[in-house]
Amino acid sequence: MDEQFQLLFDKMRIEMQNQTIEVTNTILEKMDEKLKPILEENQILKQKVDKLEKKVELLEREKKSNNIIIHGLPEGEQTTLDLIKLIKNCFLDELGIAIENYEINKIFRIGSKNKNKNEKPRPTLLSLVTGWKKIEIMKNKKKLKDLYITEDYSKETLEIRKSLQPKLIEERQKGNLAYIKYDKLIVKENSRPIDKRKREKSTSPQAELIQPRKQQTLNMSKSNRINAFDVMRGRSHSLSTTSVTTKQ
């Protein structure tokens, strides 16, 4: 009896396990069916968010495209007009570039005002109306003595550019043309042809001794050669003499 009860119990346990598996599978299938549209919608929303982030990045990039940041400009102006005059005079004296008031979109100091006068002056953001004026300034920025000018990048872009510096140095050490364009590293391999110099033939002392001997043999062979014209002349002369003797 005990064995029969044990067998019956085992069968019931197996059936219950099978039923639980079937129930769980059906529940999971139903959950998947219900979650499928939600997951698809979530994927679509992610794609839209990515597109919006790219658009925002492009707008921010376009907004900063005509901006430059001036570092080291002495801080002592009282109004914005004083700051404009200071920059105009600086660019005219050191760069030879004249900037009119209507070419300036906005200008201001970055950060809070320094309480201590001995502290480093705050950088100045200058936003220009046209891009060609910015290009002209950036081309001549090396002429500045006490100032230096940088692009107006976002914090994220600055971090990316900073992380690309070791790779930039590595590529330049290899001899490649490398530079950072916005937030990407551009590398162009050096395609200059390598000059392969032909190895000059070394002359040994034995070769120098053999060379005169060869020259002597060549000269002897040349001297032993019979000139064809001389042979023809001799034959014609002998024929003429024999003809004269026969006539006589």
Side-chain angles (χ1 to χ4, degrees):
M1 292 291 292
D2 293 336
E3 292 180 357
Q4 291 179 355
F5 276 114
Q6 185 66 33
L7 289 170
L8 181 62
F9 180 75
D10 291 338
K11 286 181 180 179
M12 290 176 64
R13 184 168 57 82
I14 292 168
E15 287 180 1
M16 288 179 67
Q17 286 179 355
N18 292 331
Q19 287 179 1
T20 52
I21 291 169
E22 289 178 0
V23 170
T24 51
N25 287 332
T26 52
I27 291 170
L28 288 171
E29 287 176 359
K30 289 181 179 180
M31 287 179 66
D32 289 338
E33 289 177 0
K34 290 182 178 181
L35 287 172
K36 189 175 180 180
I38 297 172
L39 292 172
E40 290 177 354
E41 186 179 357
N42 189 18
Q43 189 67 27
I44 293 168
L45 288 172
K46 280 184 178 180
Q47 292 176 357
K48 287 183 178 180
V49 169
D50 291 338
K51 288 181 180 179
L52 288 172
E53 285 179 352
K54 288 180 180 179
K55 285 183 180 180
V56 170
E57 185 181 354
L58 288 172
L59 288 171
E60 187 178 358
R61 189 171 175 178
E62 184 67 25
K63 182 182 176 182
K64 294 175 177 289
S65 61
N66 294 337
N67 296 355
I68 58 173
I69 298 176
I70 305 162
H71 302 268
L73 190 69
E75 190 171 356
E77 69 280 353
Q78 298 297 325
T79 61
T80 305
L81 289 174
D82 294 339
L83 184 59
I84 291 172
K85 288 179 182 178
L86 182 62
I87 288 178
K88 286 172 67 176
N89 293 332
C90 179
F91 283 178
L92 186 62
D93 295 339
E94 296 190 21
L95 302 181
I97 298 173
I99 298 177
E100 302 297 334
N101 290 343
Y102 61 84
E103 293 179 317
I104 298 173
N105 184 20
K106 58 183 177 181
I107 183 171
F108 57 88
R109 295 274 185 178
I110 300 172
S112 57
K113 191 173 182 179
N114 297 326
K115 295 180 180 180
N116 189 0
K117 293 182 179 180
N118 296 325
E119 289 184 3
K120 190 177 179 180
R122 293 175 295 167
T124 304
L125 188 142
L126 174 63
S127 178
L128 298 164
V129 176
T130 58
W132 65 268
K133 180 62 75 173
K134 176 194 170 182
I135 293 169
E136 186 180 4
I137 293 170
M138 295 301 288
K139 282 183 178 179
N140 295 280
K141 67 178 183 178
K142 292 182 180 179
K143 296 179 182 178
L144 293 169
K145 297 176 182 178
D146 299 326
L147 309 179
Y148 67 95
I149 298 173
T150 59
E151 295 274 359
D152 183 20
Y153 295 123
S154 62
K155 289 183 179 180
E156 293 80 8
T157 306
L158 287 172
E159 289 177 358
I160 294 170
R161 288 173 66 88
K162 188 177 180 180
S163 64
L164 292 173
Q165 287 295 327
K167 187 67 177 176
L168 175 68
I169 296 169
E170 182 183 349
E171 291 296 334
R172 285 181 176 176
Q173 287 176 351
K174 291 179 182 178
N176 296 328
L177 177 63
Y179 57 92
I180 298 174
K181 187 176 181 181
Y182 198 72
D183 58 351
K184 293 180 181 179
L185 178 64
I186 309 298
V187 180
K188 296 180 180 179
E189 293 184 357
N190 190 1
S191 59
R192 292 180 181 177
I194 300 171
D195 294 329
K196 295 182 179 179
R197 296 181 179 178
K198 293 182 179 180
R199 187 177 177 183
E200 296 180 356
K201 294 181 180 180
S202 60
T203 57
S204 61
Q206 293 180 356
E208 291 178 356
L209 291 171
I210 293 167
Q211 189 173 1
R213 292 179 183 176
K214 288 184 178 180
Q215 190 68 28
Q216 288 176 3
T217 54
L218 287 171
N219 292 332
M220 289 175 67
S221 62
K222 285 181 181 179
S223 61
N224 292 330
R225 287 178 186 174
I226 300 170
N227 195 345
F229 291 103
D230 294 337
V231 174
M232 294 297 291
R233 285 174 186 172
R235 287 182 179 178
S236 62
H237 182 68
S238 62
L239 288 171
S240 61
T241 52
T242 52
S243 61
V244 170
T245 52
T246 52
K247 285 180 182 180
Q248 290 177 354

